[in-house]
Amino acid sequence: MTFWLLCCLLAVNVLAASNTQQIEKITQFYGERAGKRATAWHALIKNSQHLTERQKLNATNTFFNQFVFISDQKLWGKEDYWATPYEFIGAGAGDCEDFSIAKYKTLLKLGIDDNKLRLVYVKALELNQFHMVVAYYPKPSAIPLILDNLNGNILPANQRNDLLPIYSFNGNKLWLVKQKGQGQIAGKASRLSLWNDLRNRYQHIKLNQPRNIF
């Protein structure tokens, strides 16, 4: 066995062990149904690696749009709480930020470059409320595709006239959005305190208990 093949096998074993630990931790903290959701999530990631990027978008969007929508106040007892994907999967429910963040993190795990992805804070005009979606840019100058829990169809941004973009961000940058285009860079994503808190909890798999589990 060559050195590089041995390294690859060790990496696969470490990843499998890490996934098992994550599933066990979610199961112990949130219960058996949550553990099944976590298992299904890891299976989605494993089985979708070979897909095209558009197929990865479809698979991820469909998977998470099965979850229950509920306000932060009812679920977490807070006005605004950004759950990690582990917490979202554990609870089986969340609000628009939780849907979007789980999709974004999953697409990164599926190998889509962070430069192609953004979390976009918008105003949902028909509901007259603030909302969050995921935008995917196949090319830097392209009109992005929108992944949304309100509308399960993945559509170009110029076909989502019900959404008014306000700002967007990814792992590194923050943009002020101008109409349906790229927008103007407004600094680093670290300016967003809720995003910083979420990334810390996600990295260390820190879990909080919701009022309800679905």
Side-chain angles (χ1 to χ4, degrees):
M1 183 179 295
T2 67
F3 173 76
W4 291 113
L5 179 57
L6 178 59
C7 288
C8 289
L9 290 174
L10 289 173
V12 169
N13 290 335
V14 169
L15 180 61
S18 175
N19 292 343
T20 300
Q21 291 173 358
Q22 290 175 13
I23 293 169
E24 290 177 350
K25 187 168 185 177
I26 290 171
T27 303
Q28 291 171 2
F29 199 84
Y30 297 107
E32 290 296 329
R33 292 181 65 183
K36 291 180 180 179
R37 287 192 293 268
T39 300
W41 179 48
H42 282 292
L44 167 73
I45 294 169
K46 179 181 178 181
N47 297 331
S48 301
Q49 295 293 334
H50 68 286
L51 300 178
T52 65
E53 291 195 345
R54 181 56 193 260
Q55 289 172 330
K56 291 176 180 179
L57 298 181
N58 290 336
T60 299
N61 200 52
T62 299
F63 179 82
F64 284 111
N65 280 356
Q66 300 176 76
F67 285 45
V68 176
F69 179 88
I70 188 172
S71 70
D72 285 334
Q73 190 63 53
K74 290 181 179 179
L75 187 62
W76 299 102
K78 296 181 179 181
E79 191 64 31
D80 198 10
Y81 181 78
W82 290 11
T84 67
Y86 305 121
E87 293 171 315
F88 181 47
I89 290 167
D95 68 358
C96 59
E97 289 95 349
D98 305 329
F99 278 85
S100 297
I101 290 166
K103 292 174 185 179
Y104 166 77
K105 290 292 189 181
T106 299
L107 292 172
L108 291 179
K109 284 180 175 290
L110 289 174
I112 295 182
D113 195 301
D114 195 27
N115 291 324
K116 292 184 174 183
L117 298 171
R118 294 192 194 170
L119 290 158
V120 188
Y121 205 61
V122 303
K123 185 171 185 180
L125 299 177
E126 294 178 2
L127 298 176
N128 192 31
Q129 66 184 36
F130 294 111
H131 183 55
M132 184 180 283
V133 298
V134 178
Y136 164 79
Y137 292 81
K139 296 180 180 179
S141 60
I143 294 174
L145 298 173
I146 301 300
L147 286 71
D148 186 10
N149 65 290
L150 293 179
N151 184 338
N153 297 317
I154 298 176
L155 298 171
N158 59 3
Q159 294 183 28
R160 292 300 307 273
N161 295 322
D162 57 315
L163 304 178
L164 179 65
I166 301 171
Y167 70 85
S168 66
F169 61 98
N170 61 14
N172 299 305
K173 296 177 182 177
L174 169 68
W175 289 266
L176 297 178
V177 180
K178 293 183 178 180
Q179 298 180 348
K180 303 293 183 180
Q182 287 276 344
Q184 179 180 0
I185 294 178
K188 295 182 178 181
S190 57
R191 291 176 58 182
L192 302 172
S193 59
L194 286 170
W195 183 233
N196 286 336
D197 177 60
L198 178 139
R199 290 201 291 184
N200 178 63
R201 285 183 287 112
Y202 181 72
Q203 180 180 356
H204 297 96
I205 317 184
K206 294 181 178 179
L207 305 175
N208 287 314
Q209 193 70 247
R211 292 180 170 182
N212 300 290
I213 294 177
F214 292 81

